[in-house]
Amino acid sequence: MRRPCLECGRPAPGSYCAAHQPPPWAGSTRKYELPVDWRRTRAEVIARDTRCLLCGSTHRLEVDHIADRHDHTLGNLRALCHSCHATRTGRQGAAVANGRR
């Protein structure tokens, strides 16, 4: 059963319609670790790389930290599509959970 979106009132499958869906990392403290100019840096990385550096897709590009997640320099950042980024992040999380780094 569809209920109204909490933002606009349009019918939604969950609490929000597609236009008002919170980002997947909503509730995470990660966004507070990013520099204040992150939007500019993110745009610069995506403009530089133009496609996922793992599979070549140009759809739903995100910015990945190659090594240290606290190093926001351009040399430590690359564009990945949402799918490749989710796979990489999942593997990293599993490695940490299993005691590896």
Side-chain angles (χ1 to χ4, degrees):
M1 177 178 178
R2 292 184 173 257
R3 56 184 128 181
C5 170
L6 295 176
E7 289 288 326
C8 67
R10 284 184 266 164
S15 299
Y16 298 96
C17 69
H20 295 109
Q21 212 41 252
W25 51 306
S28 167
T29 59
R30 180 74 176 123
K31 66 182 175 182
Y32 301 110
E33 298 172 6
L34 297 173
V36 294
D37 64 342
W38 177 249
R39 286 181 188 247
R40 182 195 55 76
T41 302
R42 181 185 183 282
E44 192 172 337
V45 170
I46 290 173
R48 177 194 71 197
D49 295 346
T50 70
R51 61 185 57 248
C52 175
L53 296 183
L54 295 182
C55 74
S57 173
T58 59
H59 184 66
R60 292 180 68 187
L61 293 179
E62 300 176 354
V63 174
D64 176 52
H65 288 78
I66 298 167
D68 181 3
R69 70 184 216 155
H70 300 290
D71 176 2
H72 309 296
T73 59
L74 294 177
N76 188 49
L77 301 173
R78 65 180 172 183
L80 296 182
C81 69
H82 174 76
S83 178
C84 287
H85 196 203
T87 299
R88 176 167 153 61
T89 302
R91 285 185 182 143
Q92 288 173 316
V96 169
N98 291 325
R100 298 184 314 264
R101 278 218 154 214

Coordinates of all heavy atoms in Angstrom, one line a residue:
M1 N 0.8 -1.2 0.0 CA 0.0 0.0 0.0 C 0.9 1.2 0.0 O 1.8 1.3 0.7 CB -0.9 0.0 1.2 CG -1.7 1.2 1.4 SD -2.8 1.0 2.8 CE -3.6 2.6 2.8
R2 N 0.5 2.2 -0.8 CA 1.3 3.4 -0.9 C 0.8 4.4 0.1 O -0.4 4.6 0.3 CB 1.2 4.0 -2.3 CG 2.0 3.1 -3.3 CD 2.0 3.8 -4.7 NE 2.8 3.0 -5.6 CZ 4.0 3.4 -5.9 NH1 4.5 4.6 -5.5 NH2 4.8 2.7 -6.7
R3 N 1.7 5.1 0.7 CA 1.3 6.2 1.7 C 1.9 7.5 1.2 O 2.8 7.5 0.3 CB 1.8 5.8 3.1 CG 3.3 5.6 3.1 CD 3.6 5.2 4.5 NE 4.4 3.9 4.5 CZ 4.8 3.3 5.5 NH1 4.6 3.7 6.7 NH2 5.5 2.2 5.3
P4 N 1.5 8.6 1.7 CA 2.1 9.9 1.2 C 3.5 10.1 1.6 O 4.0 9.7 2.7 CB 1.2 10.9 1.9 CG 0.4 10.2 2.9 CD 0.5 8.8 2.7
C5 N 4.3 10.7 0.6 CA 5.7 11.1 0.9 C 5.7 12.1 2.0 O 4.8 13.0 2.1 CB 6.2 11.7 -0.4 SG 7.8 12.5 -0.2
L6 N 6.6 11.9 2.9 CA 6.7 12.8 4.1 C 7.1 14.2 3.7 O 6.9 15.2 4.4 CB 7.7 12.3 5.1 CG 7.3 11.0 5.8 CD1 8.5 10.5 6.7 CD2 6.1 11.1 6.6
E7 N 7.7 14.4 2.5 CA 8.1 15.7 2.0 C 7.0 16.4 1.2 O 6.8 17.6 1.4 CB 9.4 15.6 1.1 CG 10.6 15.3 1.9 CD 11.1 16.4 2.8 OE1 10.9 17.6 2.4 OE2 11.6 16.2 3.9
C8 N 6.4 15.7 0.2 CA 5.5 16.4 -0.7 C 4.1 15.8 -0.7 O 3.2 16.4 -1.3 CB 6.1 16.3 -2.1 SG 6.1 14.6 -2.8
G9 N 3.9 14.7 -0.1 CA 2.5 14.2 0.0 C 2.1 13.3 -1.2 O 1.0 12.7 -1.1
R10 N 2.9 13.2 -2.2 CA 2.6 12.3 -3.3 C 2.7 10.8 -2.9 O 3.4 10.5 -1.9 CB 3.6 12.5 -4.5 CG 3.4 13.8 -5.3 CD 4.3 13.8 -6.4 NE 5.4 14.6 -6.0 CZ 6.6 14.7 -6.5 NH1 6.9 14.0 -7.6 NH2 7.6 15.4 -6.0
P11 N 1.9 9.9 -3.5 CA 2.0 8.5 -3.1 C 3.4 8.0 -3.2 O 4.1 8.3 -4.2 CB 1.1 7.8 -4.1 CG 0.2 8.9 -4.6 CD 1.0 10.2 -4.6
A12 N 3.8 7.2 -2.3 CA 5.2 6.7 -2.2 C 5.2 5.3 -1.7 O 4.4 4.9 -0.9 CB 6.1 7.6 -1.3
P13 N 6.2 4.5 -2.2 CA 6.2 3.1 -1.7 C 6.7 2.9 -0.3 O 6.4 2.0 0.4 CB 7.2 2.4 -2.7 CG 8.1 3.6 -3.2 CD 7.2 4.8 -3.2
G14 N 7.4 3.9 0.2 CA 7.9 3.9 1.6 C 7.6 5.3 2.2 O 6.5 5.8 2.0
S15 N 8.5 5.8 2.9 CA 8.3 7.1 3.6 C 8.5 8.3 2.7 O 8.0 9.4 2.9 CB 9.2 7.3 4.8 OG 9.0 6.3 5.7
Y16 N 9.2 8.1 1.5 CA 9.5 9.2 0.6 C 9.3 8.7 -0.8 O 9.6 7.5 -1.2 CB 11.0 9.6 0.8 CG 11.3 10.2 2.1 CD1 11.8 9.4 3.1 CD2 11.0 11.5 2.4 CE1 12.1 9.9 4.4 CE2 11.3 12.0 3.7 CZ 11.8 11.2 4.7 OH 12.1 11.7 5.9
C17 N 8.9 9.6 -1.7 CA 8.8 9.4 -3.1 C 10.2 9.4 -3.7 O 11.2 9.7 -3.0 CB 7.9 10.4 -3.8 SG 8.7 12.1 -3.9
A18 N 10.4 9.0 -5.0 CA 11.7 8.9 -5.6 C 12.4 10.3 -5.5 O 13.7 10.3 -5.4 CB 11.6 8.4 -7.0
A19 N 11.7 11.4 -5.7 CA 12.3 12.7 -5.7 C 12.9 13.1 -4.4 O 13.8 13.9 -4.3 CB 11.3 13.7 -6.2
H20 N 12.3 12.5 -3.3 CA 12.7 13.0 -2.0 C 13.4 11.9 -1.2 O 13.6 12.0 0.1 CB 11.5 13.5 -1.2 CG 11.0 14.8 -1.8 ND1 9.8 14.8 -2.5 CD2 11.5 16.0 -1.9 CE1 9.6 16.0 -3.0 NE2 10.6 16.8 -2.6
Q21 N 13.8 10.8 -1.8 CA 14.5 9.7 -1.2 C 15.8 10.2 -0.5 O 16.6 10.9 -1.2 CB 14.8 8.7 -2.3 CG 14.9 7.2 -1.9 CD 13.8 6.7 -1.0 OE1 14.2 6.4 0.1 NE2 12.6 6.5 -1.4
P22 N 16.1 10.0 0.8 CA 17.3 10.4 1.3 C 18.5 9.6 0.7 O 18.3 8.5 0.2 CB 17.2 10.1 2.8 CG 15.9 9.3 3.0 CD 15.2 9.3 1.7
P23 N 19.7 10.2 0.7 CA 20.8 9.5 0.1 C 21.1 8.2 0.9 O 20.7 8.1 2.1 CB 22.0 10.5 0.3 CG 21.5 11.5 1.3 CD 20.0 11.5 1.3
P24 N 21.7 7.2 0.3 CA 21.9 5.9 0.9 C 22.7 6.1 2.2 O 22.7 5.2 3.1 CB 22.7 5.1 -0.1 CG 22.8 5.9 -1.3 CD 22.2 7.3 -1.1
W25 N 23.5 7.1 2.4 CA 24.3 7.3 3.5 C 23.7 8.2 4.6 O 24.3 8.6 5.5 CB 25.7 7.7 3.2 CG 25.9 8.9 2.3 CD1 25.3 9.0 1.1 CD2 26.6 10.0 2.5 NE1 25.6 10.3 0.5 CE2 26.4 10.9 1.4 CE3 27.4 10.5 3.6 CZ2 27.0 12.1 1.3 CZ3 28.0 11.7 3.4 CH2 27.8 12.5 2.3
A26 N 22.4 8.4 4.4 CA 21.7 9.2 5.4 C 21.8 8.5 6.8 O 21.6 7.3 6.9 CB 20.2 9.4 5.0
G27 N 22.0 9.3 7.8 CA 22.2 8.7 9.1 C 23.6 8.4 9.4 O 24.0 8.2 10.6
S28 N 24.5 8.4 8.4 CA 25.9 8.1 8.6 C 26.6 9.4 9.0 O 26.1 10.5 8.7 CB 26.5 7.7 7.3 OG 27.9 7.7 7.3
T29 N 27.6 9.3 9.8 CA 28.4 10.5 10.2 C 29.5 10.8 9.1 O 30.2 11.8 9.3 CB 29.1 10.2 11.5 OG1 30.0 9.1 11.4 CG2 28.1 10.0 12.6
R30 N 29.6 10.0 8.1 CA 30.6 10.2 7.1 C 30.6 11.6 6.5 O 31.6 12.2 6.2 CB 30.4 9.2 5.9 CG 31.4 9.3 4.8 CD 32.8 8.8 5.3 NE 33.7 8.8 4.2 CZ 34.9 9.5 4.2 NH1 35.2 10.1 5.3 NH2 35.7 9.4 3.2
K31 N 29.4 12.2 6.2 CA 29.3 13.5 5.6 C 29.9 14.6 6.4 O 30.4 15.6 5.9 CB 27.9 13.8 5.2 CG 27.0 14.0 6.4 CD 25.5 14.4 5.9 CE 24.6 14.5 7.1 NZ 23.2 14.7 6.7
Y32 N 30.0 14.4 7.7 CA 30.6 15.3 8.6 C 32.2 15.3 8.6 O 32.9 16.2 9.0 CB 30.2 15.2 10.0 CG 28.7 15.3 10.1 CD1 27.9 14.2 10.4 CD2 28.1 16.6 9.9 CE1 26.5 14.4 10.5 CE2 26.7 16.7 9.9 CZ 25.9 15.6 10.2 OH 24.5 15.7 10.3
E33 N 32.7 14.2 8.0 CA 34.1 14.0 7.8 C 34.7 14.6 6.5 O 35.9 14.7 6.3 CB 34.5 12.5 7.9 CG 34.1 11.8 9.2 CD 34.3 10.3 9.1 OE1 34.9 9.8 8.0 OE2 34.0 9.6 10.0
L34 N 33.7 15.0 5.6 CA 34.1 15.5 4.3 C 34.4 17.0 4.5 O 33.8 17.7 5.3 CB 33.0 15.3 3.3 CG 32.7 13.8 3.0 CD1 31.5 13.7 2.1 CD2 33.9 13.2 2.4
P35 N 35.4 17.5 3.7 CA 35.7 19.0 3.7 C 34.5 19.8 3.3 O 33.6 19.4 2.6 CB 36.9 19.1 2.8 CG 36.8 17.9 1.9 CD 36.1 16.8 2.6
V36 N 34.5 21.1 3.7 CA 33.4 22.0 3.3 C 33.3 22.2 1.8 O 32.2 22.5 1.3 CB 33.6 23.4 4.1 CG1 33.4 23.2 5.6 CG2 34.9 24.0 3.7
D37 N 34.4 22.1 1.1 CA 34.3 22.2 -0.4 C 34.2 20.9 -1.1 O 34.5 20.8 -2.3 CB 35.6 23.0 -0.8 CG 36.9 22.2 -0.6 OD1 36.8 21.2 0.2 OD2 37.9 22.5 -1.3
W38 N 33.6 19.9 -0.4 CA 33.4 18.6 -1.0 C 32.6 18.6 -2.3 O 33.0 17.9 -3.3 CB 32.8 17.6 0.0 CG 32.6 16.3 -0.7 CD1 31.4 15.7 -1.0 CD2 33.6 15.3 -1.1 NE1 31.6 14.4 -1.6 CE2 32.9 14.2 -1.6 CE3 35.0 15.3 -1.0 CZ2 33.6 13.1 -2.1 CZ3 35.6 14.2 -1.5 CH2 35.0 13.2 -2.1
R39 N 31.6 19.4 -2.4 CA 30.8 19.4 -3.7 C 31.6 19.8 -4.8 O 31.5 19.3 -5.9 CB 29.6 20.3 -3.5 CG 28.5 19.7 -2.7 CD 27.3 20.7 -2.6 NE 26.3 20.3 -1.6 CZ 25.1 19.9 -2.0 NH1 24.7 19.9 -3.2 NH2 24.3 19.5 -1.0
R40 N 32.5 20.8 -4.6 CA 33.4 21.3 -5.7 C 34.4 20.2 -6.1 O 34.6 19.9 -7.2 CB 34.1 22.6 -5.3 CG 35.0 23.1 -6.4 CD 36.0 24.2 -5.9 NE 36.8 23.7 -4.8 CZ 37.9 22.9 -4.9 NH1 38.2 22.4 -6.1 NH2 38.6 22.6 -3.9
T41 N 35.0 19.6 -5.0 CA 36.0 18.5 -5.3 C 35.3 17.4 -6.0 O 35.9 16.8 -7.0 CB 36.6 18.1 -3.9 OG1 37.2 19.2 -3.3 CG2 37.6 17.0 -4.1
R42 N 34.1 17.0 -5.6 CA 33.4 15.9 -6.2 C 33.2 16.2 -7.7 O 33.4 15.3 -8.6 CB 32.1 15.6 -5.5 CG 31.3 14.5 -6.0 CD 29.9 14.5 -5.3 NE 29.1 13.3 -5.8 CZ 28.5 13.3 -7.0 NH1 28.5 14.4 -7.8 NH2 27.8 12.3 -7.4
A43 N 32.7 17.4 -8.0 CA 32.4 17.8 -9.4 C 33.7 17.8 -10.2 O 33.7 17.4 -11.3 CB 31.8 19.2 -9.4
E44 N 34.8 18.2 -9.6 CA 36.1 18.2 -10.3 C 36.6 16.8 -10.6 O 37.1 16.5 -11.7 CB 37.1 18.9 -9.4 CG 38.4 19.3 -10.1 CD 39.3 20.1 -9.3 OE1 38.9 20.8 -8.4 OE2 40.5 20.1 -9.6
V45 N 36.4 15.9 -9.7 CA 36.8 14.5 -10.0 C 36.0 13.9 -11.1 O 36.5 13.2 -12.0 CB 36.7 13.6 -8.7 CG1 36.9 12.1 -9.0 CG2 37.7 14.1 -7.6
I46 N 34.7 14.1 -11.0 CA 33.8 13.5 -12.1 C 34.1 14.1 -13.4 O 34.1 13.5 -14.4 CB 32.3 13.6 -11.6 CG1 32.1 12.7 -10.4 CG2 31.4 13.3 -12.8 CD1 30.7 12.8 -9.8
A47 N 34.3 15.5 -13.4 CA 34.7 16.1 -14.7 C 36.0 15.6 -15.3 O 36.2 15.4 -16.5 CB 34.7 17.6 -14.5
R48 N 36.9 15.3 -14.4 CA 38.3 14.8 -14.8 C 38.2 13.4 -15.3 O 38.7 13.1 -16.4 CB 39.2 14.8 -13.6 CG 40.6 14.3 -13.9 CD 41.4 14.0 -12.6 NE 40.8 12.9 -11.9 CZ 41.1 12.6 -10.6 NH1 41.9 13.4 -9.9 NH2 40.5 11.6 -10.0
D49 N 37.5 12.5 -14.6 CA 37.4 11.1 -15.0 C 36.4 10.8 -16.0 O 36.6 9.9 -16.8 CB 37.2 10.2 -13.7 CG 38.4 10.3 -12.8 OD1 39.5 10.8 -13.1 OD2 38.2 9.9 -11.6
T50 N 35.2 11.4 -16.0 CA 34.1 11.3 -16.9 C 33.4 9.9 -17.0 O 32.4 9.8 -17.6 CB 34.5 11.7 -18.4 OG1 35.4 10.8 -19.0 CG2 35.1 13.1 -18.4
R51 N 34.1 8.9 -16.5 CA 33.5 7.6 -16.5 C 34.0 6.7 -15.3 O 35.0 7.1 -14.7 CB 33.7 6.8 -17.8 CG 35.1 6.6 -18.2 CD 35.2 6.0 -19.6 NE 34.6 6.8 -20.6 CZ 33.5 6.5 -21.3 NH1 33.0 5.3 -21.1 NH2 33.0 7.3 -22.2
C52 N 33.3 5.6 -15.0 CA 33.8 4.7 -13.9 C 35.2 4.2 -14.3 O 35.3 3.6 -15.4 CB 32.8 3.6 -13.7 SG 33.4 2.3 -12.6
L53 N 36.1 4.3 -13.5 CA 37.5 3.8 -13.8 C 37.6 2.3 -13.6 O 38.7 1.8 -14.0 CB 38.5 4.6 -12.9 CG 38.6 6.1 -13.2 CD1 39.7 6.7 -12.4 CD2 38.8 6.4 -14.7
L54 N 36.6 1.6 -13.2 CA 36.7 0.2 -13.1 C 35.9 -0.5 -14.3 O 36.5 -1.4 -14.9 CB 36.1 -0.3 -11.8 CG 36.9 0.1 -10.6 CD1 36.2 -0.5 -9.3 CD2 38.3 -0.3 -10.7
C55 N 34.7 0.0 -14.6 CA 33.9 -0.7 -15.7 C 33.7 0.2 -16.9 O 33.2 -0.3 -17.9 CB 32.6 -1.2 -15.1 SG 31.4 0.1 -14.8
G56 N 33.9 1.5 -16.8 CA 33.7 2.4 -17.9 C 32.4 3.0 -18.1 O 32.1 3.8 -19.0
S57 N 31.5 2.7 -17.2 CA 30.1 3.2 -17.2 C 30.1 4.8 -17.0 O 31.0 5.3 -16.3 CB 29.2 2.6 -16.1 OG 28.0 3.2 -16.1
T58 N 29.2 5.5 -17.5 CA 29.0 6.9 -17.3 C 27.8 7.2 -16.5 O 27.4 8.3 -16.3 CB 29.0 7.7 -18.6 OG1 27.9 7.2 -19.4 CG2 30.2 7.5 -19.4
H59 N 27.1 6.1 -16.0 CA 25.8 6.2 -15.3 C 26.0 6.3 -13.8 O 26.8 5.5 -13.2 CB 24.9 5.1 -15.7 CG 23.6 5.1 -15.1 ND1 22.7 6.1 -15.4 CD2 23.0 4.3 -14.1 CE1 21.6 5.9 -14.7 NE2 21.7 4.8 -14.0
R60 N 25.4 7.3 -13.1 CA 25.4 7.4 -11.6 C 26.8 7.4 -11.1 O 27.2 6.6 -10.2 CB 24.6 6.3 -11.0 CG 23.1 6.4 -11.3 CD 22.3 5.3 -10.6 NE 22.3 5.5 -9.1 CZ 21.8 4.6 -8.3 NH1 21.3 3.5 -8.7 NH2 21.9 4.8 -7.0
L61 N 27.7 8.3 -11.5 CA 29.0 8.4 -11.0 C 29.1 8.9 -9.6 O 28.4 9.8 -9.2 CB 29.9 9.2 -11.9 CG 30.1 8.7 -13.3 CD1 30.9 9.6 -14.2 CD2 30.8 7.3 -13.3
E62 N 30.0 8.3 -8.8 CA 30.3 8.7 -7.5 C 31.8 8.8 -7.3 O 32.5 8.4 -8.2 CB 29.7 7.6 -6.5 CG 28.2 7.4 -6.6 CD 27.7 6.3 -5.7 OE1 28.5 5.6 -5.1 OE2 26.5 6.1 -5.7
V63 N 32.2 9.4 -6.2 CA 33.6 9.6 -6.0 C 34.1 8.6 -4.9 O 33.5 8.5 -3.8 CB 33.9 11.1 -5.6 CG1 35.4 11.2 -5.2 CG2 33.6 12.0 -6.7
D64 N 35.1 7.9 -5.2 CA 35.7 6.9 -4.3 C 37.1 7.3 -3.8 O 37.8 7.9 -4.5 CB 35.9 5.6 -5.1 CG 36.5 4.5 -4.3 OD1 36.1 4.2 -3.2 OD2 37.5 3.9 -4.8
H65 N 37.3 7.1 -2.5 CA 38.6 7.3 -1.9 C 39.4 6.1 -2.2 O 39.1 5.0 -1.8 CB 38.5 7.6 -0.4 CG 37.9 8.9 -0.1 ND1 36.6 9.2 -0.2 CD2 38.5 10.1 0.3 CE1 36.4 10.4 0.2 NE2 37.6 11.0 0.5
I66 N 40.5 6.2 -2.9 CA 41.3 5.1 -3.3 C 42.0 4.4 -2.1 O 42.0 3.2 -2.0 CB 42.4 5.5 -4.4 CG1 41.7 6.0 -5.6 CG2 43.3 4.3 -4.7 CD1 42.6 6.7 -6.6
A67 N 42.6 5.2 -1.3 CA 43.3 4.7 -0.1 C 42.7 5.3 1.2 O 41.5 4.9 1.5 CB 44.8 5.0 -0.2
D68 N 43.3 6.2 1.8 CA 42.9 6.8 3.1 C 41.6 7.5 2.9 O 41.6 8.5 2.1 CB 44.0 7.7 3.6 CG 43.7 8.3 4.9 OD1 42.6 8.1 5.5 OD2 44.5 9.1 5.4
R69 N 40.6 7.2 3.6 CA 39.3 7.8 3.5 C 39.3 9.2 4.0 O 38.3 10.0 3.8 CB 38.2 7.0 4.1 CG 38.2 7.0 5.6 CD 37.1 6.0 6.1 NE 36.6 6.6 7.4 CZ 35.4 6.4 7.9 NH1 34.6 5.6 7.2 NH2 35.1 6.9 9.0
H70 N 40.3 9.6 4.7 CA 40.4 11.0 5.2 C 41.3 11.9 4.3 O 41.4 13.1 4.6 CB 41.0 11.0 6.6 CG 40.1 10.2 7.6 ND1 38.9 10.6 8.0 CD2 40.3 9.0 8.2 CE1 38.3 9.7 8.8 NE2 39.2 8.7 8.9
D71 N 41.8 11.3 3.3 CA 42.7 12.1 2.3 C 41.8 12.5 1.2 O 41.4 11.6 0.3 CB 43.8 11.2 1.9 CG 44.7 11.9 0.8 OD1 44.4 13.0 0.4 OD2 45.6 11.2 0.3
H72 N 41.4 13.7 1.1 CA 40.5 14.2 0.1 C 41.2 14.9 -1.0 O 40.6 15.7 -1.8 CB 39.5 15.2 0.7 CG 38.8 14.6 1.9 ND1 38.0 13.4 1.9 CD2 38.8 14.9 3.2 CE1 37.6 13.1 3.1 NE2 38.1 14.0 3.9
T73 N 42.5 14.6 -1.2 CA 43.2 15.2 -2.3 C 42.8 14.5 -3.6 O 42.4 13.4 -3.7 CB 44.7 15.1 -2.1 OG1 45.1 13.7 -2.0 CG2 45.2 15.9 -0.9
L74 N 43.0 15.3 -4.8 CA 42.5 14.7 -6.1 C 43.3 13.4 -6.4 O 42.7 12.6 -7.1 CB 42.7 15.8 -7.1 CG 41.8 17.0 -7.0 CD1 42.1 18.0 -8.1 CD2 40.4 16.6 -7.0
G75 N 44.5 13.3 -6.0 CA 45.2 12.1 -6.3 C 44.7 10.8 -5.6 O 45.0 9.7 -6.0
N76 N 43.9 11.0 -4.5 CA 43.4 9.9 -3.8 C 41.9 9.7 -4.1 O 41.2 8.8 -3.5 CB 43.5 10.1 -2.3 CG 43.1 8.9 -1.5 OD1 43.5 7.8 -1.7 ND2 42.2 9.1 -0.5
L77 N 41.4 10.4 -5.1 CA 40.0 10.3 -5.5 C 39.8 9.8 -6.9 O 40.6 10.2 -7.8 CB 39.3 11.6 -5.3 CG 39.4 12.2 -3.9 CD1 38.8 13.6 -3.9 CD2 38.6 11.4 -2.9
R78 N 38.8 9.1 -7.2 CA 38.5 8.6 -8.5 C 37.0 8.4 -8.7 O 36.2 8.2 -7.7 CB 39.2 7.3 -8.9 CG 38.7 6.2 -8.0 CD 39.4 4.9 -8.3 NE 39.0 3.8 -7.4 CZ 39.5 2.6 -7.3 NH1 40.4 2.3 -8.3 NH2 39.2 1.8 -6.4
A79 N 36.5 8.5 -9.9 CA 35.1 8.3 -10.2 C 34.8 6.8 -10.4 O 35.5 6.1 -11.1 CB 34.7 9.0 -11.5
L80 N 33.8 6.3 -9.7 CA 33.3 5.0 -9.9 C 31.7 5.1 -10.1 O 31.1 6.0 -9.5 CB 33.5 4.1 -8.7 CG 35.0 3.8 -8.3 CD1 35.0 2.9 -7.1 CD2 35.8 3.2 -9.5
C81 N 31.2 4.2 -10.9 CA 29.7 4.1 -11.0 C 29.2 3.6 -9.6 O 29.9 3.0 -8.8 CB 29.3 3.2 -12.1 SG 29.6 1.5 -11.9
H82 N 27.9 3.8 -9.4 CA 27.3 3.4 -8.1 C 27.5 1.9 -7.9 O 27.8 1.5 -6.7 CB 25.8 3.8 -8.2 CG 25.0 3.3 -7.0 ND1 25.1 3.9 -5.8 CD2 24.2 2.2 -6.8 CE1 24.4 3.2 -4.9 NE2 23.9 2.2 -5.5
S83 N 27.3 1.1 -8.9 CA 27.5 -0.3 -8.7 C 28.9 -0.7 -8.3 O 29.1 -1.5 -7.3 CB 27.1 -1.0 -10.0 OG 27.2 -2.4 -9.9
C84 N 29.9 -0.2 -9.0 CA 31.3 -0.6 -8.6 C 31.6 0.0 -7.3 O 32.3 -0.7 -6.5 CB 32.2 0.0 -9.7 SG 32.2 -1.0 -11.2
H85 N 31.1 1.2 -6.9 CA 31.4 1.8 -5.7 C 30.8 1.0 -4.5 O 31.4 0.7 -3.5 CB 30.9 3.3 -5.6 CG 31.5 4.1 -4.5 ND1 30.9 5.2 -4.1 CD2 32.6 4.0 -3.8 CE1 31.6 5.7 -3.1 NE2 32.7 5.0 -2.9
A86 N 29.6 0.6 -4.7 CA 28.9 -0.3 -3.7 C 29.6 -1.6 -3.5 O 29.8 -2.1 -2.4 CB 27.4 -0.5 -4.1
T87 N 30.0 -2.2 -4.6 CA 30.8 -3.5 -4.5 C 32.1 -3.3 -3.7 O 32.4 -4.1 -2.8 CB 31.1 -4.0 -5.9 OG1 29.8 -4.3 -6.5 CG2 31.9 -5.3 -5.8
R88 N 32.8 -2.2 -4.1 CA 34.1 -2.0 -3.4 C 33.9 -1.7 -1.9 O 34.6 -2.2 -1.1 CB 34.8 -0.8 -4.1 CG 36.1 -0.4 -3.5 CD 36.9 0.6 -4.4 NE 37.8 1.5 -3.7 CZ 38.8 1.2 -2.9 NH1 39.1 0.0 -2.6 NH2 39.6 2.2 -2.5
T89 N 32.9 -0.8 -1.6 CA 32.7 -0.5 -0.2 C 32.2 -1.7 0.6 O 32.6 -1.9 1.7 CB 31.6 0.6 -0.2 OG1 32.0 1.7 -0.9 CG2 31.3 1.0 1.3
G90 N 31.4 -2.6 -0.1 CA 31.0 -3.8 0.6 C 32.2 -4.7 0.9 O 32.2 -5.3 2.0
R91 N 33.1 -4.8 0.0 CA 34.3 -5.7 0.2 C 35.1 -5.1 1.3 O 35.7 -5.9 2.1 CB 35.1 -5.8 -1.1 CG 34.5 -6.7 -2.1 CD 35.3 -6.9 -3.3 NE 34.7 -7.8 -4.3 CZ 34.8 -7.6 -5.6 NH1 35.5 -6.6 -6.1 NH2 34.1 -8.4 -6.4
Q92 N 35.3 -3.8 1.3 CA 36.1 -3.2 2.4 C 35.4 -3.4 3.7 O 36.1 -3.7 4.7 CB 36.2 -1.7 2.1 CG 37.1 -1.3 1.0 CD 37.1 0.1 0.6 OE1 36.0 0.8 0.6 NE2 38.3 0.7 0.4
G93 N 34.1 -3.3 3.8 CA 33.4 -3.5 5.1 C 33.5 -4.9 5.5 O 33.7 -5.2 6.7
A94 N 33.4 -5.9 4.6 CA 33.6 -7.3 5.0 C 35.0 -7.6 5.5 O 35.1 -8.3 6.4 CB 33.2 -8.2 3.8
A95 N 36.0 -7.0 4.8 CA 37.3 -7.2 5.3 C 37.5 -6.7 6.7 O 38.2 -7.3 7.5 CB 38.3 -6.5 4.3
V96 N 37.0 -5.5 7.0 CA 37.1 -4.9 8.3 C 36.4 -5.8 9.3 O 36.9 -6.2 10.4 CB 36.6 -3.5 8.4 CG1 36.4 -3.0 9.8 CG2 37.5 -2.6 7.6
A97 N 35.2 -6.3 9.0 CA 34.4 -7.2 9.9 C 35.1 -8.5 10.1 O 35.0 -9.1 11.2 CB 33.0 -7.4 9.3
N98 N 35.9 -8.9 9.2 CA 36.6 -10.2 9.3 C 38.0 -10.0 9.9 O 38.9 -10.9 9.9 CB 36.7 -10.9 8.0 CG 35.4 -11.4 7.5 OD1 34.6 -11.9 8.3 ND2 35.1 -11.4 6.2
G99 N 38.4 -8.8 10.3 CA 39.6 -8.5 11.0 C 40.8 -8.2 10.0 O 41.9 -8.2 10.4
R100 N 40.5 -8.0 8.7 CA 41.5 -7.7 7.8 C 41.4 -6.3 7.4 O 40.3 -5.6 7.5 CB 41.4 -8.6 6.5 CG 41.5 -10.0 6.8 CD 41.5 -10.8 5.5 NE 40.4 -10.4 4.6 CZ 39.2 -11.0 4.5 NH1 38.9 -12.0 5.3 NH2 38.3 -10.6 3.7
R101 N 42.4 -5.7 6.8 CA 42.3 -4.3 6.3 C 42.8 -4.2 4.9 O 43.3 -4.8 4.3 CB 43.2 -3.4 7.2 CG 42.4 -3.0 8.4 CD 42.6 -1.6 8.8 NE 41.4 -1.2 9.5 CZ 40.9 -0.1 9.5 NH1 41.4 0.9 8.8 NH2 39.8 0.2 10.1

